[in-house]
Amino acid sequence: MTSTLRDESVDAGEQAPAGPRVGVLALQGDFREHAHVLAGLGASVSLVRRPEELAEIDGLVIPGGESSVIDKLARLFGVAEPLREAIAAGLPVYGTCAGLIMLADSVLDAIEGQQSFGGLDVVVRRNAFGSQNQSFETELDIPALGAAPVRAAFIRGPVVESVGPDATALARLDDGRVVAVEQGNLLGTSFHPEITGEHRFHEYFLGKVRARIRSLV
Ligand code: GLN
């Protein structure tokens, strides 16, 4: 099993890139799409499946996919508990869709026994928009990311049903439902910027990663 994307033409050149080291949790889901976006933004990207790989990164992206499967595999690979500790210690983490579910402190409509990593003081509801064929795209105004609207793809995504005092809503649908949140070094979106050519969330996240690196030196 490979732990780096360097042989998979994600990095632009032969030399090791100087950008922040960002891992993508690669147990299941659309981790490759995230890896390509991050590498395109200058990050040094690695795939993370094992606990020891967490020590080699400055930030982590948890992709979309199926949260109950990511949960099971994370426990099987022994990465769930170390990741919880890393999140508590301040590791910047960005979760999209299933990744947001994994970051939520509380998950509604989970399957029996399903666990999240937690960290975000929010309650999310899985599959809040119905089935796969009720997937949709829309444009969101997200002032934190600039004036241009964000193109957002929802694929059996969760909704943030409540935002606790430690977290902040970043984006809402027209009906007021929250679909993006942040809390310190954690960022979560119900939708998938990695598949619509929208890179501002990843840039925003890399800003958190760089700030964290500066704070540690
Ligand atoms: N419905 C999925 C889950 O519960 C999330 C879908 C997605 O990540 N696109 O994990």
Side-chain angles (χ1 to χ4, degrees), residues 95-120:
T96 61
C97 204
L100 165 60
I101 295 168
M102 294 307 300
L103 284 177
D105 281 344
S106 177
V107 180
L108 304 176
D109 291 341
I111 68 164
E112 202 183 329
Q114 182 174 347
Q115 298 176 12
S116 65
F117 304 133
L120 275 176

Side-chain angles (χ1 to χ4, degrees), residues 63-68 96-99 101 114 126-127 155-158 192:
E66 172 49 54
S67 56
S68 60
T96 61
C97 204
I101 295 168
Q114 182 174 347
R126 292 177 66 227
N127 305 331
I155 307 167
R156 292 189 78 221
H192 293 267

Side-chain angles (χ1 to χ4, degrees), residues 66-91:
E66 172 49 54
S67 56
S68 60
V69 176
I70 294 174
D71 164 39
K72 277 190 191 137
L73 292 174
R75 285 190 268 161
L76 193 68
F77 279 71
V79 79
E81 202 48 47
L83 182 48
R84 271 186 201 106
E85 286 164 18
I87 291 170
L91 181 73

Side-chain angles (χ1 to χ4, degrees), residues 101-203:
I101 295 168
M102 294 307 300
L103 284 177
D105 281 344
S106 177
V107 180
L108 304 176
D109 291 341
I111 68 164
E112 202 183 329
Q114 182 174 347
Q115 298 176 12
S116 65
F117 304 133
L120 275 176
D121 183 16
V122 296
V123 179
V124 300
R125 183 177 296 281
R126 292 177 66 227
N127 305 331
F129 301 100
S131 63
Q132 192 85 18
N133 53 20
Q134 289 168 288
S135 298
F136 64 100
E137 284 191 31
T138 189
E139 297 205 325
L140 301 170
D141 282 322
I142 306 182
L145 299 186
V150 167
R151 185 94 199 144
F154 290 82
I155 307 167
R156 292 189 78 221
V159 79
V160 180
E161 287 221 340
S162 78
V163 180
D166 294 335
T168 306
L170 281 183
R172 294 174 188 272
L173 294 170
D174 288 343
D175 62 11
R177 286 187 291 176
V178 175
V179 289
V181 286
E182 90 179 306
Q183 180 178 334
N185 281 337
L186 304 180
L187 183 64
T189 57
S190 301
F191 49 90
H192 293 267
E194 74 279 9
I195 63 169
T196 51
E198 171 58 66
H199 296 165
R200 283 173 289 170
F201 267 100
H202 292 80
E203 279 170 7

Side-chain angles (χ1 to χ4, degrees), residues 3 21 46-57 77-79 82-83:
S3 65
R21 303 170 306 168
S46 59
L47 300 184
V48 170
R49 298 184 179 99
R50 300 190 176 277
E52 56 271 23
E53 290 160 346
L54 287 174
E56 293 160 18
I57 55 171
F77 279 71
V79 79
L83 182 48

